C-alpha cells in the first residue's frame, strides 16, 4: 500500500498532551488515542480533492439509511495511511486494532439496504463517479440488542452524533421545509403553498474518500432542528399531531430510525421523515446545479437522482412542485425533467414491504403534492387506456392512486427512466410477477444491476491475514480490480498456498472463539465447522429452518450417542424489529435451544450454538472471516439479492443456499461443486402454493420434523411456560408462509452432505479458495460500473 511521508499525528499528539493534561503520550488511554487518530485521519481526508469530474452526470444517491460502520480504519486504508498509523502507534506500544475498537458504530440503517448504500458510496468515490449521498442524521440509530432469558431486549442506541469526529456541521447548507397548511391557485399548474409549520434542515457532512485516488465526496445527512420560522401559535398543534400521540417538535423528525426491515411502518412521523429527507435534498441538488452555472431546464442532463427503494419517492413530487411553483415551468417541461432524472432501485417483492400511504394523511401533510400526484395519475390513466382499453383489472394493479391509497412503487415506475432489480432472478421476477403490465407499457425501463460489496471493508479491513496472502500472491493491486482474484485459481493445488489459506481461517476462528468466550461466556470448539447465519431476523430468511435442523441433529445425537458427525458450531446474529413478535419468538427459541444444547455435556464436542447479540457492521467484520459455512436459506423468490452471501463467500465460507437472490449468480460463478444448493426453486414454490400447500401433512408424515417442532414445547426448552413457542409452532404447522416444512427434508440432507464434505479437507479448502477466487464480480465497484453503463450515462 502507498506510504506517505507526512505524519499528521505528530502535531496532534503534542496538542493533545496539553489538552489531556499529561506529560507524555505514553499516558494516553485508548479513547484518547482514538480521538487523535480520528482527527488526524480526518485532516488528511480533507486534503483530498473534491470530486469535480463532471464528465458524466452527478449522481445524487437518496437513501433513508446509510449503514456506514466505523469510518476511521476504512478511511485510513483508502487514504493509504493505515500502515503508517499502525507503525506510529506501535512505537508507543499501542495496537491500532484496539484503538479502532473505540469508535462507535454509526447505526444509521437497518440491514442490507443501508449497508448497500454505504458500499456504493465507497465505490462511487473509488471509481471517481461524481456523487453525493443524501440521508438523515438520526439521533438514535437502530436499537441495541441484548438478551434476557433468551428474549430480545431493546435499548436506545444513542451514538452521540454531536461528537462523532467524522461529521461536520455545514452551516451554509441549511434548508427550511414546510408541512401541511393551505394552497392557493395562482395559474394553470401553479399554486402558492402556505405551510402550517416550517422545520429547519441542517446539513451534517461526512467525508467519503476513494481508494487511493485522492478523491473526496460527501455524504450529507439532514438533521431537523427546533427553530420554527413560522408563527407556531397559528398552527393547530393538537389536531395535527395527536395521531402520533406525542408532541412532535421539529427535532423529533430525525430522532429515530424506524427499526423495520422489509416492512412498511405506515406512521405519520415516518412519512414526515421521508418528506423532510427529500425536500432538503432536492433543494440542495437544485442549489448545486444552479451554482455550477447550469440552467434549470438542463437539470436532467447534469443530475441523476437514484432512489434507494421507494422511501425517497416523494422527491419526484417535490421536484415537480418546485419546478412548477417556484421556477414556473410548464407541466410538460417539469414532467420531462423528472422523467429523465429519476431512477428507481427496487429492493423487495414482499407485499408487506411495498409502501402505500393513506390518501387523507398524505393530502393533509402535502396538499400541493397531492394535486400533483392526482394529475400524474390522471395522465397515466389515459396512457393505460390507450394501451389496454377500459380494463378495470389492469387499472387496479397499475394505478398510483387507488382505494384511498398512494402507491409509491407505482409512482416510481411511471416516472423513472430506469427501474432496476438487485440480482438477475429478482429483476426477472420484477417483470414477471410484480410489474408485468408496466413491462408491457415500458419494456425499455427495466434492467438489472446485481448488488456488490466493497472489498476495502469486507476483506481488506475485516480479514487482514487473508488480504496479506492475496497481496503476496497477486501481481497487481487487487483492491482496485477484484476480478484479479481469479488469478489465485492457479494455486488451488499448491499445498503451500492451501496450508496458508487454511491456517488463516483457523487463526480467524480462534479470534472469534475468544470473542464468543467474552460475550457469551461459552467455550467453543475451534476445530468445529463454524456455520454462520447473520442477518436480520425475518420469517422469509428462515432462521427457524436452521433451528429445526439443529434440534433434529441434537435429537439424533441423544438417540445415538455414537453418531459420527463432524463437530459443528452454529453461529447466529441478527436483530428483529421490536414489533415483529414472531421474529422475536424465533430469537428466543434459538437462545433457549442453544442453552439446552450448550449445557449438555454429552454433545459438547459435536454440537454447540452461539447467538451473538447486537449484530452490526463491526460485529459482521469479526464473524465473517471466521466462517466455514454461510447460511443463505431464504424461501426462493423472497430475498432480492442478499449481500451477506457475497461477504461470506469472498472470505472463503461455502454457501448452503436456495436458488434465491444473488445465490443464483454466486453458484454460477463458483460452480455447483463448490456450493451446497437445496430446496424448492422459484418454480416449484409457485407450483406448490398453487396446488394448495398443507404444512400439517409434512408435520404428520415426517417424524424427525414433528419431533423437532414438538421440542419447542419441551420443558427443557420453555421451562414452566408451555405456551412460550405455541404461536411459532402453530404458525409453522398451520400456515408456514415461507415453506419451512416443505424444505426441511432437503435442508437436513444437504447439511449431512456438508458434514461429510468437511471430512475431505483437501477438497474443502480447494472449494474455499475457489470461492475467494471467483467472487470478484461481486465487488461494488463492478455494481457501480454497471449503474454507470446501464442507467446513469443514458
Ligand atoms: C451485509 C449486512 C447485512 C445484509 O445481510 P444479508 O445477509 O444480505 O441480509 C445486514 N446487516 C449488516 C450489519 C451487514 O453488514
Amino acid at each position: 500500500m502507498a506510504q506517505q511521508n507526512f505524519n499528521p499525528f505528530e502535531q496532534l499528539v503534542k496538542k493533545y498532551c496539553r489538552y489531556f493534561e499529561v506529560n507524555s503520550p505514553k499516558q494516553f488511554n485508548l479513547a484518547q488515542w482514538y480521538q487523535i487518530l480520528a482527527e488526524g485521519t480526518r485532516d488528511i481526508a480533507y486534503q483530498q480533492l473534491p470530486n469535480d469530474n463532471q464528465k458524466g452526470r452527478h449522481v445524487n444517491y437518496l437513501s433513508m439509511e446509510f449503514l456506514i460502520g466505523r469510518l476511521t480504519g476504512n478511511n485510513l486504508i483508502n487514504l493509504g495511511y493505515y500502515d503508517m498509523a499502525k507503525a506510529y502507534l506501535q512505537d508507543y506500544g499501542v495496537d491500532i486494532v484496539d484503538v479502532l475498537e473505540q469508535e462507535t458504530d454509526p447505526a444509521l440503517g437497518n440491514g442490507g439496504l443501508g449497508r448497500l448504500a454505504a458500499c456504493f458510496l465507497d465505490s462511487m468515490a473509488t471509481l471517481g463517479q461524481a456523487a453525493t449521498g443524501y440521508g438523515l442524521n438520526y439521533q438514535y440509530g437502530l436499537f441495541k440488542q441484548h438478551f434476557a432469558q433468551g428474549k430480545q431486549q431493546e435499548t436506545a442506541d444513542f451514538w452521540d452524533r454531536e461528537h462523532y469526529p467524522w461529521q461536520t456541521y455545514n452551516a451554509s447548507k441549511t434548508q427550511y421545509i414546510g408541512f401541511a397548511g393551505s394552497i392557493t391557485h395562482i395559474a394553470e399548474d401553479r399554486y402558492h403553498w402556505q405551510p402550517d409549520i416550517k422545520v429547519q434542515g441542517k446539513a451534517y457532512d461526512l467525508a467519503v474518500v476513494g481508494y487511493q485516488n485522492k478523491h473526496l465526496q460527501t455524504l450529507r445527512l439532514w438533521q431537523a432542528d427546533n427553530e420554527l420560522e413560522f408563527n407556531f401559535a397559528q398552527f393547530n398543534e393538537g389536531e395535527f399531531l395527536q395521531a402520533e400521540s406525542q408532541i412532535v417538535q421539529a427535532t423529533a423528525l430525525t430522532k429515530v430510525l424506524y427499526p423495520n426491515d422489509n416492512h412498511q411502518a405506515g406512521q405519520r412521523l415516518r412519512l414526515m421523515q421521508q418528506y423532510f429527507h427529500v425536500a432538503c435534498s432536492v433543494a440542495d441538488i437544485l442549489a448545486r446545479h444552479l451554482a455550477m452555472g447550469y440552467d434549470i431546464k438542463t437539470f436532467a442532463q447534469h443530475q441523476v437522482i437514484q432512489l434507494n427503494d421507494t422511501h425517497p419517492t416523494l422527491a419526484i413530487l417535490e421536484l415537480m412542485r418546485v419546478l412548477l411553483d417556484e421556477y414556473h415551468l410548464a407541466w410538460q417541461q417539469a414532467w420531462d425533467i423528472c422523467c429523465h432524472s429519476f431512477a428507481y432501485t427496487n429492493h423487495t417483492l414482499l407485499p408487506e414491504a411495498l409502501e402505500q400511504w393513506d390518501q387523507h394523511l398524505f393530502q393533509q401533510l402535502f396538499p400541493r403534492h397531492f394535486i400533483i400526484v392526482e394529475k400524474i395519475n390522471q395522465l397515466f390513466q389515459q396512457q393505460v387506456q390507450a394501451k389496454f382499453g377500459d380494463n378495470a383489472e389492469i387499472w387496479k394493479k397499475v394505478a398510483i392512486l387507488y382505494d384511498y391509497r398512494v402507491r409509491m412503487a407505482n409512482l416510481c415506475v411511471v416516472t423513472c427512466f430506469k427501474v432496476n432489480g438487485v440480482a438477475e432472478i429478482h429483476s426477472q421476477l420484477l417483470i414477471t410477477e410484480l410489474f408485468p403490465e408496466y413491462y408491457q407499457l415500458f419494456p425499455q425501463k427495466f434492467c438489472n444491476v446485481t448488488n456488490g460489496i466493497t472489498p476495502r471493508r469486507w476483506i481488506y479491513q475485516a480479514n487482514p491475514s487473508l488480504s496479506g496472502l492475496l497481496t503476496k500472491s497477486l501481481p497487481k493491486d487487487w483492491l482496485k480490480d477484484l476480478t484479479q482474484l481469479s488469478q489465485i485459481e492457479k494455486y488451488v493445488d499448491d499445498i503451500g498456498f492451501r496450508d496458508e489459506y487454511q491456517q488463516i481461517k483457523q487463526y480467524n476462528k480462534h479470534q472469534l472463539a475468544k470473542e464468543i468466550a467474552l460475550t457469551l461466556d461459552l467455550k467453543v470448539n475451534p476445530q468445529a465447522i463454524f456455520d454462520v447465519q447473520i442477518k436480520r431476523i425475518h420469517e422469509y430468511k428462515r432462521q427457524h429452518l436452521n433451528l429445526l435442523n439443529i434440534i433434529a441433529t441434537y435429537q439424533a445425537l441423544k438417540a445415538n450417542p455414537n453418531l459420527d458427525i463432524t463437530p459443528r458450531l452454529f453461529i447466529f446474529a441478527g436483530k428483529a424489529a421490536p414489533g415483529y413478535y414472531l421474529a422475536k419468538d424465533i430469537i428466543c427459541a434459538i437462545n433457549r435451544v442453544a442453552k439446552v444444547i450448550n449445557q449438555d455435556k454429552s454433545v459438547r464436542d459435536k454440537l454447540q450454538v452461539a447467538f451473538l447479540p447486537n449484530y452490526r457492521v463491526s460485529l459482521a467484520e469479526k464473524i465473517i472471516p471466521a466462517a466455514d459455512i454461510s447460511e443463505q436459506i431464504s424461501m426462493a423468490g423472497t430475498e432480492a439479492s442478499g449481500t451477506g452471501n457475497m461477504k461470506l463467500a469472498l472470505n472463503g465460507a461455502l454457501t448452503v443456499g436456495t436458488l434465491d437472490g444473488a445465490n443464483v449468480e454466486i453458484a454460477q460463478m463458483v460452480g455447483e461443486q463448490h456450493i451446497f444448493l437445496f430446496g424448492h426453486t422459484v418454480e416449484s414454490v409457485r407450483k406448490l402454493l398453487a396446488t394448495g400447500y398443507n404444512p400439517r401433512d409434512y408435520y404428520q408424515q415426517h417424524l424427525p420434523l414433528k419431533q423437532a417442532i414438538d421440542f419447542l414445547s419441551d420443558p427443557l426448552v420453555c421451562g414452566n411456560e408451555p405456551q412460550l413457542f405455541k404461536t411459532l409452532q402453530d404458525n409453522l404447522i398451520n400456515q408456514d408462509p415461507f415453506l419451512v416444512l416443505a424444505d426441511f427434508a432437503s435442508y437436513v440432507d444437504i447439511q449431512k452432505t456438508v458434514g461429510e464434505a468437511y471430512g475431505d479437507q483437501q477438497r474443502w479448502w480447494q472449494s474455499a479458495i475457489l470461492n475467494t477466487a471467483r467472487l470478484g464480480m461481486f465487488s461494488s465497484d463492478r455494481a457501480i460500473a454497471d449503474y454507470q453503463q446501464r442507467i446513469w450515462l443514458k
Side-chain angles (χ1 to χ4, degrees):
M1 300 302 123
Q3 269 304 303
Q4 320 287 329
N5 295 321
F6 165 65
N7 186 333
F9 304 110
E10 302 269 10
Q11 277 306 100
L12 283 172
V13 160
K14 284 194 195 118
K15 169 179 146 191
Y16 277 101
C17 273
R18 184 183 306 178
Y19 188 72
F20 295 146
E21 299 177 327
V22 296
N23 294 321
S24 147
K26 293 217 166 72
Q27 291 165 271
F28 289 163
N29 63 28
L30 287 174
Q32 292 170 327
W33 272 121
Y34 165 65
Q35 194 172 337
I36 292 166
L37 190 63
E39 195 176 316
T41 311
R42 209 191 64 187
D43 289 346
I44 309 168
Y46 278 103
Q47 287 163 17
Q48 312 291 297
L49 300 172
N51 192 346
D52 54 2
N53 159 27
Q54 280 295 342
K55 264 181 283 167
R57 294 198 274 179
H58 190 103
V59 172
N60 301 281
Y61 197 85
L62 266 58
S63 178
M64 291 277 281
E65 305 182 15
F66 285 90
L67 192 48
I68 50 182
R70 294 169 174 163
L71 289 181
T72 308
N74 188 248
N75 286 349
L76 276 169
I77 290 168
N78 282 12
L79 293 164
Y81 275 83
Y82 187 91
D83 293 344
M84 186 250 247
K86 183 178 167 181
Y88 182 72
L89 288 165
Q90 229 154 34
D91 288 346
Y92 290 99
V94 176
D95 186 343
I96 190 170
V97 174
D98 297 334
V99 176
L100 294 173
E101 275 293 307
Q102 299 294 307
E103 184 164 338
T104 50
D105 231 297
L108 305 183
N110 273 285
L113 173 142
R115 184 54 233 175
L116 184 77
C119 284
F120 280 3
L121 290 179
D122 184 271
S123 286
M124 287 191 289
T126 296
L127 267 62
Q129 169 65 54
T132 306
Y134 286 103
L136 290 177
N137 198 18
Y138 303 103
Q139 185 176 7
Y140 297 94
L142 189 58
F143 64 89
K144 285 191 175 141
Q145 178 198 56
H146 68 275
F147 304 129
Q149 282 90 49
K151 293 180 183 161
Q152 172 174 291
Q153 313 286 309
E154 302 106 20
T155 54
D157 171 37
F158 179 77
W159 66 286
D160 202 15
R161 60 184 176 186
E162 270 69 35
H163 301 113
Y164 187 61
W166 283 100
Q167 163 155 296
T168 20
Y169 172 46
N170 194 339
S172 67
K173 301 293 177 189
T174 301
Q175 298 293 344
Y176 294 87
I177 306 305
F179 291 92
S182 56
I183 49 173
T184 331
H185 191 215
I186 306 281
E188 196 188 351
D189 294 317
R190 198 187 310 165
Y191 284 75
H192 176 71
W193 177 26
Q194 182 73 35
D196 274 340
I197 48 168
K198 275 205 172 182
V199 175
Q200 231 182 27
K202 292 182 166 169
Y204 285 80
D205 290 354
L206 284 90
V208 179
V209 292
Y211 175 67
Q212 300 190 356
N213 65 353
K214 303 215 180 298
H215 275 308
L216 174 81
Q217 45 197 212
T218 304
L219 168 57
R220 182 155 293 159
L221 301 178
W222 299 106
Q223 183 173 317
D225 209 332
N226 234 345
E227 245 168 86
L228 303 172
E229 223 198 19
F230 273 40
N231 185 349
F232 203 51
Q234 279 181 350
F235 152 60
N236 186 349
E237 191 184 65
E239 204 175 273
F240 174 43
L241 296 169
Q242 231 153 32
E244 218 44 55
S245 75
Q246 53 175 312
I247 296 174
V248 179
Q249 294 194 314
T251 46
L253 265 183
T254 49
K255 262 211 175 349
V256 289
L257 163 72
Y258 276 89
N260 300 312
D261 187 75
N262 270 299
H263 198 280
Q264 110 132 346
Q267 275 99 326
R268 175 199 300 255
L269 186 65
R270 167 74 174 185
L271 184 56
M272 291 176 73
Q273 284 187 335
Q274 294 190 345
Y275 180 64
F276 175 75
H277 171 227
V278 303
C280 289
S281 307
V282 165
D284 195 68
I285 297 165
L286 277 166
R288 178 167 27 80
H289 177 78
L290 297 173
M292 297 281 291
Y294 300 132
D295 192 276
I296 189 77
K297 294 191 179 114
T298 65
F299 185 86
Q301 275 161 253
H302 300 286
Q303 310 294 333
V304 55
I305 303 179
Q306 188 71 41
L307 304 174
N308 195 24
D309 211 328
T310 54
H311 315 150
T313 303
L314 279 167
I316 296 169
L317 303 180
E318 176 66 1
L319 185 58
M320 280 299 286
R321 181 189 73 81
V322 174
L323 294 177
L324 294 171
D325 295 353
E326 293 179 14
Y327 291 89
H328 304 170
L329 263 52
W331 177 276
Q332 196 55 44
Q333 272 180 318
W335 180 241
D336 279 346
I337 288 174
C338 285
C339 291
H340 289 94
S341 42
F342 284 100
Y344 159 53
T345 304
N346 173 284
H347 283 272
T348 185
L349 303 163
L350 297 179
E352 62 268 32
L354 293 176
E355 291 192 298
Q356 306 196 353
W357 292 100
D358 176 80
Q359 182 175 310
H360 293 113
L361 170 65
F362 195 95
Q363 198 166 4
Q364 183 200 24
L365 284 173
F366 318 118
R368 173 61 177 126
H369 301 81
F370 185 71
I371 290 178
I372 294 171
V373 76
E374 269 186 317
K375 179 154 177 176
I376 295 173
N377 190 52
Q378 255 168 29
L379 292 172
F380 176 57
Q381 191 168 23
Q382 293 166 14
Q383 239 181 309
V384 174
Q385 277 168 349
K387 173 94 182 174
F388 298 106
D390 247 330
N391 187 326
E393 277 307 301
I394 287 184
W395 180 242
K396 185 178 172 181
K397 290 178 75 180
V398 299
I400 300 167
L401 297 177
Y402 198 87
D403 205 13
Y404 300 101
R405 308 236 118 213
V406 186
R407 299 152 154 191
M408 304 313 252
N410 290 9
L411 176 55
C412 281
V413 181
V414 170
T415 312
C416 292
F417 66 94
K418 286 285 172 182
V419 176
N420 76 286
V422 289
E424 290 287 354
I425 191 174
H426 168 62
S427 296
Q428 275 307 314
L429 292 172
L430 270 189
I431 289 172
T432 56
E433 296 194 355
L434 194 60
F435 299 136
E437 296 80 12
Y438 284 119
Y439 184 64
Q440 288 187 52
L441 279 163
F442 318 114
Q444 76 289 351
K445 286 192 183 188
F446 290 85
C447 66
N448 172 252
V449 178
T450 299
N451 282 168
I453 55 169
T454 171
R456 272 74 65 184
R457 183 177 294 268
W458 293 113
I459 182 161
Y460 190 79
Q461 179 177 311
N463 199 341
S465 313
L466 182 54
S467 299
L469 174 62
L470 296 172
T471 301
K472 193 169 78 178
S473 313
L474 293 170
K476 284 212 241 140
D477 189 353
W478 52 278
L479 282 175
K480 286 192 174 131
D481 171 14
L482 202 64
T483 61
Q484 297 284 321
L485 291 185
S486 66
Q487 293 184 58
I488 64 165
E489 283 209 24
K490 61 174 173 280
Y491 298 119
V492 303
D493 292 318
D494 178 323
I495 294 168
F497 184 91
R498 209 158 61 213
D499 276 354
E500 210 172 326
Y501 188 98
Q502 181 182 348
Q503 280 161 21
I504 287 163
K505 183 65 82 181
Q506 200 52 55
Y507 171 81
N508 291 337
K509 287 166 73 172
H510 270 105
Q511 295 298 108
L512 182 60
K514 280 194 227 165
E515 186 75 21
I516 294 173
L518 273 176
T519 41
L520 297 181
D521 195 23
L522 176 70
K523 194 169 176 295
V524 300
N525 173 10
Q527 303 306 321
I529 297 175
F530 279 25
D531 184 320
V532 166
Q533 189 171 20
I534 47 172
K535 49 184 75 250
R536 285 301 288 255
I537 312 297
H538 206 297
E539 289 168 271
Y540 87 82
K541 292 177 180 281
R542 300 199 297 189
Q543 281 90 355
H544 44 352
L545 175 58
N546 190 342
L547 176 64
L548 289 178
N549 173 61
I550 293 171
I551 296 173
T553 308
Y554 178 61
Q555 290 175 324
L557 279 169
K558 294 305 279 182
N560 177 6
N562 295 322
L563 193 65
D564 182 26
I565 65 163
T566 312
R568 185 106 54 130
L569 167 64
F570 288 95
I571 297 168
F572 291 89
K575 293 172 184 174
Y580 187 175
Y581 296 105
L582 206 67
K584 292 170 95 168
D585 284 349
I586 292 172
I587 290 178
C588 186
I590 295 169
N591 276 323
R592 293 295 184 94
V593 169
K595 191 165 179 209
V596 173
I597 292 176
N598 295 341
Q599 283 180 349
D600 187 337
K601 287 197 180 69
S602 71
V603 301
R604 185 163 296 169
D605 299 333
K606 293 178 180 165
L607 186 62
Q608 290 180 302
V609 184
F611 198 137
L612 289 163
N614 206 29
Y615 186 52
R616 60 201 185 282
V617 172
S618 59
L619 183 58
E621 289 172 35
K622 294 187 175 111
I623 298 173
I624 288 166
D628 294 308
I629 285 290
S630 161
E631 298 277 350
Q632 308 299 337
I633 60 177
S634 52
M635 179 180 85
T638 62
E639 186 75 271
S641 162
T643 48
N645 46 5
M646 302 167 187
K647 301 167 194 167
L648 283 153
L650 178 61
N651 283 277
L654 308 190
T655 304
V656 169
T658 46
L659 279 171
D660 198 19
N663 296 354
V664 177
E665 288 151 84
I666 292 175
Q668 282 164 4
M669 290 310 293
V670 303
E672 302 228 339
Q673 311 94 295
H674 308 293
I675 186 168
F676 300 99
L677 298 173
F678 77 99
H680 282 83
T681 60
V682 168
E683 291 73 39
S684 68
V685 164
R686 299 293 176 258
K687 229 184 257 164
L688 184 56
L689 291 176
T691 52
Y693 171 54
N694 189 359
R696 188 176 288 274
D697 293 345
Y698 293 80
Y699 175 74
Q700 284 165 345
Q701 286 157 25
H702 192 27
L703 189 59
L705 174 59
K706 179 175 185 304
Q707 287 172 339
I709 294 176
D710 292 350
F711 189 62
L712 293 175
S713 39
D714 189 308
L716 268 178
V717 172
C718 56
N720 56 9
E721 294 176 83
Q723 304 288 305
L724 189 57
F725 299 116
K726 181 146 196 322
T727 313
L728 178 57
Q729 289 172 315
D730 286 350
N731 176 281
L732 284 173
I733 298 166
N734 298 318
Q735 281 142 359
D736 192 19
F738 297 100
L739 305 189
V740 171
L741 274 57
D743 271 347
F744 178 79
S746 168
Y747 183 60
V748 169
D749 275 353
I750 201 77
Q751 284 290 26
K752 222 173 133 228
T753 309
V754 169
E756 289 159 8
Y758 200 72
D760 185 344
Q761 283 280 293
Q762 178 177 326
R763 267 200 64 193
W764 184 279
W765 295 109
Q766 283 172 335
S767 287
I769 291 166
L770 288 178
N771 267 262
T772 301
R774 295 174 178 177
L775 256 278
M777 78 148 276
F778 298 100
S779 166
S780 45
D781 297 346
R782 185 276 313 150
I784 291 300
D786 285 353
Y787 273 94
Q788 290 175 324
Q789 283 160 22
R790 296 173 195 174
I791 301 178
W792 298 336
L793 295 186
K794 288 201 175 141

